[in-house]
Amino acid sequence: MEPQLVHLIAASVTFVGSHFVLSHPLRQAVHNVIGEKGFMGLYSLVALASFGWMVLAFRAVPAGTPLWDGTGAAVGALASGLTLLAAVLLTGSFQGNPALPDPRARDLAKQPPHGVFHITRHPMMWAMALWAMAH
């Protein structure tokens, strides 16, 4: 594997990983130390820096042979399955989503999870991620 590609993978893992780490395990501890505005500033800075690294790393990767060519029945079946799952999650995300603009949003946020929200808190995000992976 080319070193530039390894660099891109590291930058991408850092970008996604920092979101997971700062959103869950470290959020409360960091928030307690530097406050809400400090946390939002730190979170934004880490996201921007890691995204910038990812963009620079992407630009440095030379054109070459792709990691896979997408041929074969197994790859097609996997992509179709991921796309179907993405479609279910996306469709379900429109049913009672408290994040969508709605005059009833406050009441919807108080309801227990239902439908695809039993599976994930962010079904639309996962739908887009699965669809992107399928491509």
Side-chain angles (χ1 to χ4, degrees), residues 33-77:
V33 173
I34 63 176
E36 178 67 24
K37 290 190 184 224
F39 176 79
M40 294 303 289
L42 175 67
Y43 194 97
S44 298
L45 183 64
V46 169
L48 184 62
S50 58
F51 184 74
W53 178 26
M54 194 169 56
V55 168
L56 293 173
F58 177 81
R59 289 182 175 170
V61 175
T65 306
L67 293 176
W68 61 87
D69 62 5
T71 60
V75 174

Side-chain angles (χ1 to χ4, degrees), residues 65-88:
T65 306
L67 293 176
W68 61 87
D69 62 5
T71 60
V75 174
L78 178 62
S80 294
L82 287 174
T83 302
L84 178 61
L85 179 57
V88 169

Side-chain angles (χ1 to χ4, degrees), residues 95-122:
Q95 301 300 315
N97 186 343
L100 293 176
D102 189 327
R104 303 167 295 144
R106 189 179 307 265
D107 295 332
L108 291 172
K110 294 176 186 174
Q111 294 178 359
H114 63 284
V116 295
F117 295 97
H118 280 292
I119 299 168
T120 177
R121 185 175 168 195
H122 304 289

Side-chain angles (χ1 to χ4, degrees), residues 2-3 13 18-19 22-23 28 34 36 50 64 79 82 85 89-90 92 110 114 122 135:
E2 297 175 12
V13 168
S18 68
H19 278 72
L22 286 173
S23 293
Q28 193 60 47
I34 63 176
E36 178 67 24
S50 58
L82 287 174
L85 179 57
L89 288 170
L90 181 66
K110 294 176 186 174
H114 63 284
H122 304 289
H135 284 79

